């Protein structure tokens, strides 16, 4: 979203004030999921922690995954962890083409940084080296990805903002 308003090439460049949408905590995810399910005659059961963990509280991805689970649960039934697992696959299938295009649009060094971070590795280390990621390339790519909103720095830790993109990368590149 940030790119739409901060990248000069995008149609909405400088058209809005940026407001950071913080991740939902478990209490918020539980409330949102339960209300959504209950309002349609379904039960969320105990799936909120799984949704919160998988999505890392990302507001859009929480809603997307909750909806994907909801669509698997018939009226009068209760959602299960298996429904969540299958819903993750459904979301990835639905998003795959767009994620492929997005990932392909990144320069090689940014792709490598995303691959390293998705795997939970450090961008300066053995795994990064094995991919051919130089320290300078890693620093530049990390800065560019942070600036464009794809990575977030929190307490000295850099992570991929979109958990679905991160999962897609893990599955795509092993």
């Amino acid at each position: 979203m940030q790119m739409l308003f901060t990248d000069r090439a995008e149609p909405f460049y400088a058209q809005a004030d940026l407001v950071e949408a913080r991740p939902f905590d478990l209490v918020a995810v539980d409330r949102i999921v339960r209300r959504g399910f209950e309002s349609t005659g379904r039960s969320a059961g105990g799936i909120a922690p799984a949704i919160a963990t998988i999505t890392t509280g990302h507001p859009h991805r929480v809603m997307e995954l909750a909806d994907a689970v909801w669509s698997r649960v018939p009226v009068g039934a209760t959602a299960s962890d298996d429904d969540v697992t299958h819903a993750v696959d459904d979301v990835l299938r639905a998003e795959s083409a767009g994620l492929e295009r997005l990932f392909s649009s990144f320069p090689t060094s940014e792709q490598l940084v995303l691959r390293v971070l998705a795997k939970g590795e450090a961008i300066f280390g053995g795994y990064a080296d094995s991919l051919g990621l130089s320290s300078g390339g890693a620093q530049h790519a990390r800065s560019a990805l942070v600036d464009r909103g794809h990575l977030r720095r929190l307490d000295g830790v850099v992570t991929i903002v979109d958990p679905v993109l991160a999962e897609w990368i893990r599955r795509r590149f092993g």
Side-chain angles (χ1 to χ4, degrees):
M1 229 22 204
Q2 180 177 342
M3 283 179 19
L4 290 176
F5 299 100
T6 60
D7 185 336
R8 288 185 189 277
E10 295 295 332
F12 299 117
Y13 174 72
Q15 296 293 311
D17 293 330
L18 293 179
V19 177
E20 184 176 346
R22 301 222 182 265
F24 292 138
D25 63 15
L26 176 57
V27 172
V29 172
D30 185 62
R31 185 179 67 246
I32 291 164
V33 171
R34 283 189 189 288
R35 284 182 183 167
F37 273 68
E38 289 170 0
S39 71
T40 60
R42 294 163 173 86
S43 172
I47 65 166
I51 289 176
T53 299
I54 292 164
T55 64
T56 62
H58 186 288
H60 173 74
R61 297 308 190 182
V62 165
M63 301 302 181
E64 184 176 37
L65 183 56
D67 181 66
V69 175
W70 177 89
S71 69
R72 294 184 145 278
V73 178
V75 174
T78 300
S80 70
D81 287 336
D82 282 344
D83 292 319
V84 175
T85 299
H86 293 296
V88 169
D89 293 339
D90 295 343
V91 167
L92 284 165
R93 232 182 338 275
E95 298 283 336
S96 183
L99 293 170
E100 181 75 47
R101 280 190 303 279
L102 173 64
F103 188 80
S104 295
S105 74
F106 295 123
T108 301
S109 60
E110 292 178 17
Q111 290 179 4
L112 294 175
V113 165
L114 289 166
R115 286 178 60 185
V116 169
L117 292 174
K119 196 170 176 87
E121 299 286 340
I123 63 170
F124 308 109
Y127 182 64
D129 291 343
S130 75
L131 294 176
L133 182 60
S134 69
S135 294
Q139 285 178 318
H140 177 73
R142 177 186 58 195
S143 293
L145 288 164
V146 168
D147 289 346
R148 291 196 323 271
H150 295 289
L151 299 181
R152 166 185 8 193
R153 274 192 188 117
L154 186 61
D155 299 327
V157 177
V158 178
T159 58
I160 298 172
V161 170
D162 183 350
V164 173
L165 174 61
E167 182 61 22
W168 179 87
I169 292 168
R170 280 189 289 277
R171 291 184 185 199
R172 172 82 164 69
F173 296 101

